[in-house]
Amino acid sequence: MKLYHYTTFDNFASIWESKILRFSYSKNTNDFFEREKTYVYSQGEFAEKENVWGKIAFDKVMKDVANELDKYRQVSFCRDYGKNMPGYASPMMWGQYARSKDVNGKWQDGVCIELESDMFMKPDNVFYEHKINYPPKVKAPYLHKISFTKEKAAERFVIKYRNLLFFTKHKHWEHEREYRFVSKYECEIGISNAITGIYVLHDDSTLKRIEEIVKDDSLINFLFITGTDDLKLKSINLKEYRELLETMRRHNEGYRDKVLLW
């Protein structure tokens, strides 16, 4: 399966050198609902049993679950949008995840890395991966089916509800077509054999800097806008583009020589 990772120019330079994608903590996600689930997912259940559990017990459970969730890290990718729009051609993703300011405060475009998921060097420890589901309503998981008097209750709760906690986002985010890796024990994943393409917006300065880092124009593709009534991003492989220019140059030189001889 093809996956795409949008990133800034500086991050790409580090990724290319190490051939590693590092996970970030799940609590740092940009989705407010994901960050705040810890504080809402069981309030209704405990409100009904407050005379049994009491506020002290409730606060302890919430703290245990929050601490357990804070141990998880994740890394995200984008999937293809369909035959007419590959994952590297999303204008929104370019603007949201592949743009940053340089040391002089000037905006610079980043990179989209195309990867083959079957070639990832995946960890042996507990490791989850799945596409994100985008329902119109996101429910919070309840604690009523977990006994928090038993050992590792918070850990068991997170595992039981991992699909809802890590792989469910509100429909408002469906434009990201996200595919996510999640791990409690690992903080990185190897991609040395998984990179199948590097995509750059057609900006001469950025393209030149990417070339200096990658040093393989057969991997680099630059995007340009095409269409009038239906604007789209299209890609051209840099090596093939240069070969085409060279063929055209030779053809033009041959035509010119024939004209001069005539």
Side-chain angles (χ1 to χ4, degrees), residues 47-156:
E48 298 172 2
K49 298 182 178 180
E50 190 169 354
N51 59 330
V52 178
W53 288 84
K55 189 175 185 307
I56 295 177
F58 172 76
D59 289 345
K60 182 182 184 305
V61 168
M62 296 300 289
K63 184 177 180 180
D64 289 346
V65 174
N67 288 339
E68 180 66 18
L69 281 172
D70 283 349
K71 298 174 183 177
Y72 282 81
R73 299 178 178 91
Q74 64 191 49
V75 62
S76 298
F77 304 87
C78 174
R79 295 178 292 126
D80 285 328
Y81 291 83
K83 293 181 179 179
N84 296 326
M85 187 175 177
Y88 60 75
S90 169
M92 182 280 304
M93 294 294 284
W94 279 103
Q96 190 165 332
Y97 295 106
R99 207 159 186 249
S100 62
K101 289 185 177 181
D102 61 18
V103 293
N104 298 316
K106 182 180 178 181
W107 284 104
Q108 61 180 353
D109 292 316
V111 175
C112 177
I113 309 172
E114 179 187 79
L115 305 121
E116 178 53 58
S117 63
D118 292 340
M119 300 302 293
F120 285 139
M121 298 173 63
K122 298 177 182 179
D124 295 327
N125 287 323
V126 178
F127 175 83
Y128 307 117
E129 61 173 291
H130 203 276
K131 67 179 182 179
I132 300 297
N133 297 309
Y134 300 101
K137 295 180 180 180
V138 176
K139 296 182 180 180
Y142 288 109
L143 303 175
H144 65 285
K145 293 183 180 180
I146 298 291
S147 174
F148 279 84
T149 59
K150 295 182 179 180
E151 187 179 0
K152 297 183 178 181
E155 181 179 350
R156 288 186 290 106

Side-chain angles (χ1 to χ4, degrees), residues 2-53:
K2 290 290 185 185
L3 295 176
Y4 306 87
H5 184 72
Y6 287 84
T7 189
T8 63
F9 178 86
D10 291 335
N11 283 345
F12 170 74
S14 175
I15 292 170
W16 181 258
E17 181 179 358
S18 65
K19 300 299 188 297
I20 287 172
L21 281 176
R22 291 183 171 84
F23 292 19
S24 59
Y25 281 103
S26 295
K27 62 182 178 181
N28 295 330
T29 177
N30 58 2
D31 182 354
F32 182 72
F33 283 1
E34 282 195 290
R35 294 201 307 268
E36 296 300 314
K37 274 180 185 174
T38 305
Y39 306 101
V40 301
Y41 49 37
S42 62
Q43 290 179 13
E45 180 71 16
F46 275 85
E48 298 172 2
K49 298 182 178 180
E50 190 169 354
N51 59 330
V52 178
W53 288 84

